[in-house]
Amino acid sequence: MAASIPLSLRRITSRIAPRARTDLEIVLLLYIPILAMLFGFVAPLFIVVVEASKMDFRELTSSYYIDLSSEAFNNFITVRELPNMIRISVNGFDLGVIGNSVVNALLVTFIAALIGSTTAILIGLYRFPGRRLLAILAYIPLLIAPFVNAYVMQRYFGKSFTLNTFSYVLSEVTRPLIGKDIMIEFSGQAGVALAQILMFYPIVYINTLAALGAIDATLVEQAINLGARGWRLIRSIILPLAMPGVLAGSTLVFILSLEDVGAPIIFRFHKVMAYQIYQYFQSVGSEASRPAVAALSFLMLVFAALPLIVVRRYLSLRYYARLARGAPRPFRGLRLGRRGLAAVYLVVLPVIATAAAPQIGVVVLAFSKKWIGPLPELLPLDSMFMNFATLTEIEGVMRSIYNSLSYVAQALVFIALLGFMAGYATARARLPGASVLDILSSLPLAVPGLVVAFSYYVFFTTYFQGSMLDPVLFPAHVLVLAYVMRKIPFTVRSVFTAVIQTPEELEEAARSLGARRARVIRRIVLPLVWRGILAGLLLSAIYVLSEVSVSITLGGLKGSMVSPDHVGPITFAILQLTTQATVVAGGTQPHAKAAALAVILMTIEAVVITIASRLARRGQALVTI
Amino acid sequence: MPFIEVKGVVKRFGKTTALRGVDLSIEKGELFSILGPSGCGKTTLLRIIAGFEIPDEGRVHFEGEDVTDMPPDKRGTVMVFQNWALWPHMTVYENIAFGLKLRKLPREEIDRRVKWVLELLGLEGFENRFPGQLSGGQQQRVALARALAVQPRVLLLDEPLSNLDAKLRLKLRGELKKLQRQLGITMVYVTHDQEEAMSLSDRMAIMRDGRIEQVGRPEELYTNPQTLFTAVFLGRTSLVLGRVDDLHDNKAIVRVGKARLRAVNHGLGRGDEAAVVIKAEGARLTAPHDLGSYETVRGRVSVSMYLGPFIEVRLVLPGANYEVLLDLPSDVTPPSVGSDVEVYVPLRNLHAYPVEEEIVREAMEHT
């Protein structure tokens, strides 16, 4: 074994050396991003493992972390009948920090997969009146309005002194019928699950839709020709062919649910791994909790990796390339039968409308004075833009916008450079390490942002103390690096897809006429693939702008919004406005202000995603993180 | 000194070995074809000569200079690809001028050369068109023009005509041959189309499974195939198995079922198992004057089809399960299926070799 390592190393170098002599550029294009990813991503993650090993893992088996006793479901649902009201409280379970995170993520993933894939199959395959409306509605939850959307969900379904919106509408029906109001409240784990399902199911939807678009029409037509229709057609042909998309989307939902900290904050459900890690940054310096947080980060990493390993075959970059390559004629011609139509109008449409409701609620809130009772109190028409206009008056908001724009600009420079190198080299370099880069550059999609934040904090405070990369001294530098690493996969994937769709002979023809690789890239590759690259860059940009996990942790290292040199970006400001209202905004209806800020963010997202989709040639899944 | 020399080249891709020790010499001004079935390694060999692949073992020399580790852009070779690889974002002029600009030629010289190749290939007036606005044949000519404009040391062609329809292919084949004569340029031409290789080449190599089977002039290879594979691969052939009964001069007498066939002997001894390859052409039903240079094949007709230029018959040899494919001139009455016939086959069309299982199996499947 020991002897075989230098032997295989020698074999690898013997393959690289001749290429370095004939084509040094491709060697650099491949190994520079590998080194960058190893330093900027793998090394910090490795530190989490080292830190976690200091923890006695038996502590994690205490009932605080895992509670499988029968009491875990004691408060799952309680129904109380009052003289003029039936009060139904859905709390969900309490299985301890780890149990809650994992079981909740599984539940959310399962339901999101069900809704997402059903919607995608209906919209992608069938023609029925209202299909376009459904398609547009299904995209809305993709616009990220962090924290405020969970806040609005809380207004709709959460615990409240008065009726929440849903109960308010419901009671208008029940009062004349049974003489009582019905109050349905979601709180704790149930609230978190509800919010996450509605926020994340579009990820399954959009991935499934992309997979459906790649199915060649002849495959479906052949099945219909042989007599398959309805459920049999879906089960035997459509679903298996679209399964890579369903699985890719579901895996991402699982990871997102694990790492989501917004819904747990808003629904005050703190016994989840994500919140525990987040809390570490609220009291940085209390190093006593560090091994426990490291252990939780390590576990989160493992849980996130598990489904990826299971469905790995479907999730590599190459899969996306195969999806987009060639031009299969997508199938869009089935008519829905009566039962199908009933399912669409009675089940799917209401679900999707509900999912779009938080975003719609955020927009309404942005034009409201406040939202305390069941319905928001709208601003008068002459001052309807007041929340936007007064944003500038809140200390720290303009700075957060400036921070965000500055981070996006800095991150994009690195993402463009490294992303192009990695995407191009993955497609073209037939050298040892190309498949490693393929895995490395899609890895960040699978690593929860909070784990990245924690690993960065530990790694850079330990090994780069006092340097430009010390997060305590220069959190902005580390923040930008984290953005680059987390959001680079979108650019790498776009570049890879664009390059692989371009025949390699076009480059070889130029090389054989005497052009070196650098010139081939400038004169042949870039003019042919710039649209794909730009689309990827725009996506990376938008996801940097709306990034949450790293932004609210590393972004808070220079204090809250009111501190004069705070380094938090827009999402950090939205969190502070939503949760620490009295501190940061002096009680001047900060939720509405947060909503206004979120609407600005959503508008930018909508515009950029539209441009990016037009630029990308076809069939690329726009996955949000 | 050969113009291009390939010595002991081995190339592996992961666990597959594409080339297993290839030696080859190509002379200056020659049109040299590499012919073989798909997957035999011919394109890999061409790409190694071009410099796109680096061999794991062995060297490549151009006029005595070792170019094995030289980048493709420094070798002076230019490749024409199967899909022509025209840059869709450049006009015909820009495509052709690309290589000339890289060589930093003055503007007037670039104009002159582009004009020259456009005329040479009959593409005048197409300068400002984009590749997407051209027909297949025109695109192929532009690819050729782009390569010729830089006046390369060697022109490498990877099945450049295979994407065209049959008629156009024939026309361009003739043009290519004429052009090569006119310019005296060294060309290495990869193809799986034997007719193309034979009609174009000064010399050609037959490749199989990463190795060179035989190198020579087309007529040499066709009339005197040295290996079983070359014999089976070139022309319309059938293969039967038997045992050597006797040896006579350079002929082997092979017993196949109840029949005895005389065939040119390629290294067989008495009692050896033999694979006899029979070329279909030149067969006749009437006895020729020089009967001595013919072999009589008797059998029962299992297929008899009129194909225009000739009649294809298949004979089942008595006592054997083999079918022999023979082409009769189309001016005779086609023999009826089930009848027993005698067919006279030129002796030069029968060759006997030691049995190679894999080739025999494949040949049987394709007959």
Side-chain angles (χ1 to χ4, degrees):
Chain A
M1 181 68 193
S4 72
I5 291 170
L7 203 71
S8 53
L9 257 182
R10 206 177 309 148
R11 199 176 304 146
I12 288 172
T13 38
S14 73
R15 280 188 61 196
I16 299 169
R19 277 299 283 277
R21 281 196 294 274
T22 62
D23 192 0
L24 183 62
E25 286 103 325
I26 196 74
V27 175
L28 296 177
L29 285 168
L30 177 65
Y31 294 108
I32 290 175
I34 289 185
L35 290 177
M37 300 293 294
L38 286 176
F39 168 76
F41 210 76
V42 178
L45 286 183
F46 183 68
I47 290 303
V48 173
V49 182
V50 174
E51 280 290 317
S53 66
K54 294 177 188 162
M55 163 95 180
D56 182 358
F57 272 79
R58 271 172 303 185
E59 279 179 42
L60 292 184
T61 55
S62 73
S63 65
Y64 181 72
Y65 289 106
I66 296 178
D67 182 5
L68 298 175
S69 66
S70 56
E71 288 160 29
F73 292 90
N74 270 0
N75 292 322
F76 194 86
I77 187 163
T78 51
V79 182
R80 272 200 301 162
E81 193 152 2
L82 303 168
N84 54 354
M85 176 192 279
I86 299 171
R87 189 167 189 150
I88 304 168
S89 292
V90 189
N91 286 301
F93 48 74
D94 181 5
L95 300 165
V97 170
I98 298 170
N100 286 340
S101 279
V102 175
V103 178
N104 179 63
L106 285 172
L107 185 75
V108 168
T109 306
F110 179 73
I111 300 176
L114 205 67
I115 301 175
S117 53
T118 310
T119 317
I121 286 174
L122 282 171
I123 291 179
L125 237 61
Y126 292 93
R127 303 210 156 276
F128 54 89
R131 179 174 157 267
R132 266 166 186 266
L133 174 73
L134 208 60
I136 293 169
L137 279 176
Y139 272 95
I140 289 180
L142 280 179
L143 301 173
I144 306 167
F147 308 108
V148 200
N149 55 359
Y151 175 79
V152 169
M153 286 292 289
Q154 211 272 341
R155 297 284 99 189
Y156 284 149
F157 299 104
K159 261 195 170 122
S160 170
F161 293 113
T162 58
L163 291 172
N164 58 36
T165 314
F166 178 64
S167 309
Y168 176 79
V169 175
L170 187 67
S171 298
E172 290 298 314
V173 180
T174 57
R175 213 173 293 132
L177 288 176
I178 57 170
K180 281 187 180 187
D181 288 358
I182 292 188
M183 172 95 162
I184 301 179
E185 305 169 328
F186 284 82
S187 63
Q189 180 272 329
V192 170
L194 185 66
Q196 289 182 345
I197 289 166
L198 296 183
M199 278 192 290
F200 298 146
Y201 89 83
I203 292 162
V204 182
Y205 162 76
I206 207 154
N207 277 282
T208 311
L209 205 58
L212 285 173
I215 300 176
D216 196 299
T218 52
L219 298 178
V220 184
E221 284 161 357
Q222 180 70 85
I224 295 171
N225 196 232
L226 290 169
R229 59 191 67 234
W231 172 236
R232 174 177 278 273
L233 177 70
I234 291 174
R235 198 192 55 199
S236 56
I237 306 293
I238 309 287
L239 255 186
L241 290 174
M243 199 41 92
V246 179
L247 288 177
S250 305
T251 310
L252 282 171
V253 170
F254 183 79
I255 296 165
L256 288 174
S257 167
L258 267 187
E259 74 153 336
D260 176 41
V261 75
I265 289 176
I266 302 293
F267 282 89
R268 296 179 193 284
F269 186 61
H270 295 171
K271 275 174 84 177
V272 285
M273 290 155 79
Y275 189 85
Q276 304 287 318
I277 300 170
Y278 164 72
Q279 209 179 25
Y280 173 77
F281 286 90
Q282 304 304 297
S283 52
V284 164
S286 71
E287 293 306 296
S289 64
R290 186 152 132 176
V293 174
L296 286 179
S297 299
F298 172 69
L299 275 184
M300 195 187 259
L301 197 59
V302 172
F303 287 130
L306 278 180
L308 272 177
I309 292 166
V310 175
V311 298
R312 189 179 170 273
R313 195 158 68 90
Y314 294 110
L315 286 174
S316 80
L317 273 176
R318 294 218 157 74
Y319 159 63
Y320 283 96
R322 209 172 59 235
L323 262 191
R325 203 188 307 166
R329 183 167 53 90
F331 184 83
R332 284 210 183 81
L334 288 180
R335 276 178 189 285
L336 264 186
R338 267 193 209 147
R339 268 188 299 174
L341 274 178
V344 166
Y345 295 127
L346 295 178
V347 183
V348 180
L349 192 63
V351 168
I352 290 175
T354 317
Q359 266 67 8
I360 296 167
V362 170
V363 176
V364 172
L365 180 57
F367 294 97
S368 301
K369 208 168 151 198
K370 58 185 174 189
W371 189 346
I372 291 169
L375 295 174
E377 194 179 314
L378 287 173
L379 283 165
L381 270 182
D382 56 346
S383 56
M384 62 183 285
F385 288 103
M386 197 186 77
N387 287 326
F388 294 89
T390 52
L391 271 178
T392 52
E393 293 162 16
I394 303 172
E395 214 174 344
V397 167
M398 292 317 284
R399 192 179 166 85
S400 75
I401 295 175
Y402 166 79
N403 284 344
S404 273
L405 295 179
S406 151
Y407 298 155
V408 169
Q410 293 172 55
L412 274 192
V413 173
F414 292 101
I415 289 178
L417 266 175
L418 282 177
F420 178 80
M421 292 170 97
Y424 179 81
T426 314
R428 292 289 189 246
R430 278 171 290 275
L431 280 170
S435 52
V436 174
L437 183 58
D438 184 0
I439 294 167
L440 276 181
S441 54
S442 45
L443 185 69
L445 287 177
V447 178
L450 286 168
V451 177
V452 175
F454 178 73
S455 71
Y456 264 47
Y457 181 77
V458 177
F459 180 73
F460 287 107
T461 48
T462 309
Y463 296 103
F464 293 86
Q465 199 176 26
S467 78
M468 297 291 283
L469 285 174
D470 184 341
V472 178
L473 299 175
F474 303 102
H477 295 172
V478 183
L479 202 52
V480 169
L481 186 60
Y483 287 146
V484 172
M485 290 298 156
R486 288 208 69 202
K487 305 306 178 188
I488 204 168
F490 299 100
T491 299
V492 177
R493 199 162 64 191
S494 295
V495 174
F496 175 84
T497 310
V499 171
I500 210 85
Q501 283 173 347
T502 316
E504 192 168 7
E505 289 89 339
L506 294 179
E507 294 171 47
E508 290 178 340
R511 296 208 72 204
S512 100
L513 283 167
R516 283 199 69 97
R517 178 80 66 173
R519 187 189 284 257
V520 173
I521 288 174
R522 210 172 56 241
R523 292 290 312 279
I524 310 293
V525 180
L526 287 179
L528 291 173
V529 305
W530 68 270
R531 284 169 157 267
I533 297 171
L534 192 60
L537 272 179
L538 285 173
L539 282 184
S540 287
I542 206 67
Y543 296 135
V544 167
L545 198 63
S546 52
E547 203 278 348
V548 172
S549 309
V550 175
S551 306
I552 61 168
T553 47
L554 297 175
L557 288 174
K558 282 277 180 189
S560 75
M561 256 167 70
V562 290
S563 64
D565 55 350
H566 89 84
V567 294
I570 292 175
T571 47
F572 176 74
I574 295 177
L575 170 70
Q576 296 240 307
L577 285 170
T578 323
T579 57
Q580 300 186 11
T582 47
V583 183
V584 297
T588 56
Q589 292 314 318
H591 295 115
K593 304 284 192 298
L597 200 51
V599 167
I600 295 175
L601 188 64
M602 282 175 8
T603 311
I604 301 173
E605 286 167 10
V607 172
V608 176
I609 288 178
T610 311
I611 298 172
S613 326
R614 296 239 162 132
L615 282 174
R617 274 183 213 158
R618 62 176 168 262
Q620 280 193 50
L622 309 178
V623 186
T624 55
I625 288 263
Chain B
M1 183 195 304
F3 194 61
I4 300 171
E5 193 171 24
V6 176
K7 278 192 209 158
V9 161
V10 173
K11 179 69 189 173
R12 298 180 202 94
F13 295 105
K15 285 179 184 160
T16 345
T17 306
L19 298 176
R20 305 164 187 269
V22 170
D23 296 295
L24 204 63
S25 301
I26 297 167
E27 299 302 328
K28 192 172 176 143
E30 196 173 33
L31 200 163
F32 190 95
S33 293
I34 304 170
L35 175 68
S38 47
C40 71
K42 52 190 190 300
T43 295
T44 306
L45 179 58
L46 192 75
R47 290 171 62 81
I48 282 177
I49 297 173
F52 291 124
E53 306 287 353
I54 301 162
D56 295 315
E57 290 167 34
R59 311 303 294 171
V60 179
H61 291 92
F62 284 5
E63 297 178 278
E65 184 193 3
D66 189 339
V67 297
T68 319
D69 291 336
M70 193 185 270
D73 47 293
K74 298 272 182 284
R75 293 191 180 198
T77 56
V78 174
M79 188 135 159
V80 177
F81 293 87
Q82 189 171 7
N83 63 1
W84 313 317
L86 296 180
W87 302 305
H89 59 300
M90 296 185 194
T91 60
V92 168
Y93 181 93
E94 286 166 338
N95 262 284
I96 298 174
F98 183 84
L100 301 170
K101 284 182 188 160
L102 283 173
R103 281 159 183 74
K104 300 204 166 53
L105 296 183
R107 205 177 162 71
E108 307 79 63
E109 177 62 11
I110 294 177
D111 279 344
R112 197 189 62 75
R113 289 244 209 134
V114 174
K115 200 164 170 277
W116 168 67
V117 283
L118 286 173
E119 266 174 37
L120 195 67
L121 287 149
L123 285 166
E124 299 101 321
F126 290 100
E127 296 85 330
N128 297 322
R129 298 245 188 121
F130 284 93
Q133 299 168 311
L134 302 176
S135 69
Q138 289 163 342
Q139 289 188 32
Q140 208 284 331
R141 285 195 182 94
V142 175
L144 207 55
R146 183 175 68 181
L148 289 172
V150 299
Q151 298 175 344
R153 179 145 78 153
V154 184
L155 188 61
L156 306 170
L157 302 111
D158 185 6
E159 310 217 16
L161 304 181
S162 65
N163 279 352
L164 300 171
D165 64 60
K167 269 198 169 163
L168 201 54
R169 206 156 56 217
L170 271 179
K171 181 166 185 274
L172 282 172
R173 193 199 285 173
E175 285 181 19
L176 197 66
K177 178 89 177 172
K178 213 170 84 190
L179 214 57
Q180 197 263 342
R181 290 274 173 272
Q182 193 180 337
L183 301 173
I185 190 172
T186 311
M187 286 191 189
V188 185
Y189 193 101
V190 157
T191 180
H192 67 271
D193 180 338
Q194 44 175 298
E195 201 181 296
E196 200 166 283
M198 284 201 261
S199 62
L200 276 173
S201 319
D202 296 313
R203 285 194 310 141
M204 59 197 259
I206 307 282
M207 274 191 85
R208 175 188 160 243
D209 200 16
R211 287 197 184 86
I212 303 274
E213 285 274 322
Q214 193 176 344
V215 180
R217 284 180 289 114
E219 63 274 22
E220 241 172 55
L221 264 57
Y222 192 74
T223 53
N224 191 17
Q226 292 299 311
T227 66
L228 176 60
F229 178 78
T230 311
V232 171
F233 187 69
L234 291 180
R236 282 163 58 78
T237 57
S238 45
L239 184 147
V240 297
L241 294 179
R243 193 172 291 279
V244 179
D245 258 6
D246 204 356
L247 297 171
H248 188 69
D249 294 338
N250 67 338
K251 302 284 188 303
I253 318 294
V254 182
R255 174 167 295 282
V256 182
K258 289 180 185 163
R260 270 158 66 97
L261 296 174
R262 262 184 309 161
V264 180
N265 183 11
H266 293 271
L268 289 164
R270 194 167 287 147
D272 284 353
E273 270 200 80
V276 181
V277 180
I278 305 160
K279 283 200 162 60
E281 84 244 13
R284 48 192 297 173
L285 279 176
T286 49
H289 302 298
D290 50 342
L291 199 57
S293 53
Y294 279 80
E295 173 67 331
T296 313
V297 179
R298 294 180 183 85
R300 181 161 291 170
V301 179
S302 63
V303 174
S304 173
M305 293 189 290
Y306 177 76
L307 294 180
F310 57 86
I311 295 162
E312 177 183 315
V313 292
R314 284 168 191 264
L315 297 188
V316 180
L317 301 183
N321 214 4
Y322 303 120
E323 274 188 341
V324 176
L325 171 76
L326 294 168
D327 295 342
L328 300 172
S330 55
D331 55 2
V332 299
T333 318
S336 52
V337 172
S339 61
D340 291 318
V341 293
E342 275 185 0
V343 181
Y344 303 93
V345 181
L347 260 178
R348 62 168 197 278
N349 283 359
L350 289 99
H351 292 260
Y353 305 84
V355 172
E356 289 180 61
E357 292 287 344
E358 202 181 325
I359 300 172
V360 169
R361 199 173 50 241
E362 272 178 34
M364 295 279 185
E365 275 171 17
H366 287 103
T367 309

